[in-house]
Amino acid sequence: MDNGTQRLGPYVIDRRIAAGGMAEVFLATREGAYGFSKKTALKRVLPQLTQDEEFVSMFIDEARLAAQLQHPNIVQVFDFGEYDGALVLAMEYVDGSHVGKLIRRSIVRKELIPQEVVLHILSQAAHALAYAHRASDSEGRHLGIVHRDVSPANLLLDSTGHVKL
């Protein structure tokens, strides 16, 4: 820590943006040479799970598989490593919201989400899932990916209207 700033390797933590039962996600900045910086989303295994070999193995597999996926509707993976004893997956930061917030807002306002918006979200999510399901490695071997956590909070909406899984 420098002057109250939390760091994980080359990443400076800005704030936590999400937390679940197995990991938490932070908005962070990747700092590099000559003033280079890039906003990223850092997914970090919760400290209490770092000793769970099965979970750590699943997290490593997730990172390895996700790094092979290149699709406009899938969040890109930039880096994976262990910094200060923490397993960290650095991903594309999607500046926007998620479908869960869109649903909650529509409920509060007592308004339906327009049909064309729903179809747009479902179509882009389906493209991402179909791509991931059919994905192969560089040797042509099927990766066998099944996304086991498709939820409104995991369907990200960027500020330009694109959906990212």
Side-chain angles (χ1 to χ4, degrees):
M1 290 237 227
D2 311 323
N3 302 326
T5 302
Q6 185 179 4
R7 297 183 70 92
L8 282 172
Y11 301 96
V12 177
I13 305 294
D14 181 28
R15 62 185 166 87
R16 188 165 74 172
I17 53 178
M22 298 192 235
E24 52 193 344
V25 181
F26 299 92
L27 173 60
T29 302
R30 167 67 161 95
E31 294 184 339
Y34 304 103
F36 172 85
S37 69
K38 181 161 183 69
K39 292 285 184 193
T40 62
L42 278 187
K43 185 175 184 179
R44 178 176 71 177
V45 172
L46 291 174
Q48 63 268 27
L49 294 176
T50 58
Q51 302 306 312
D52 182 334
E53 290 180 26
E54 183 178 342
F55 178 75
V56 168
S57 178
M58 287 186 339
F59 191 73
I60 292 168
D61 287 344
E62 174 188 342
R64 188 178 301 118
L65 288 172
Q68 296 182 62
L69 302 178
Q70 301 291 319
H71 190 276
N73 299 115
I74 296 177
V75 171
Q76 296 298 295
V77 170
F78 298 140
D79 188 19
F80 178 72
E82 187 172 343
Y83 302 108
D84 303 322
L87 281 177
V88 174
L89 179 61
M91 304 173 291
E92 169 186 8
Y93 171 63
V94 178
D95 187 16
S97 188
H98 60 75
V99 172
K101 287 183 180 178
L102 178 66
I103 292 169
R104 284 194 300 274
R105 187 170 46 234
S106 74
I107 291 169
V108 167
R109 293 181 178 173
K110 297 181 181 171
E111 298 174 348
L112 293 176
I113 300 169
Q115 182 179 12
E116 60 273 9
V117 172
V118 172
L119 293 174
H120 173 76
I121 292 168
L122 291 175
S123 173
Q124 289 199 2
H127 284 293
L129 290 166
Y131 167 82
H133 181 71
R134 291 190 306 261
S136 299
D137 67 13
S138 60
E139 304 294 319
R141 292 181 296 254
H142 185 254
L143 294 173
I145 295 174
V146 176
H147 194 299
R148 294 184 286 172
D149 192 18
V150 179
S151 65
N154 285 335
L155 290 171
L156 307 178
L157 306 170
D158 76 13
S159 58
T160 65
H162 288 88
V163 178
K164 300 265 187 171
L165 182 62

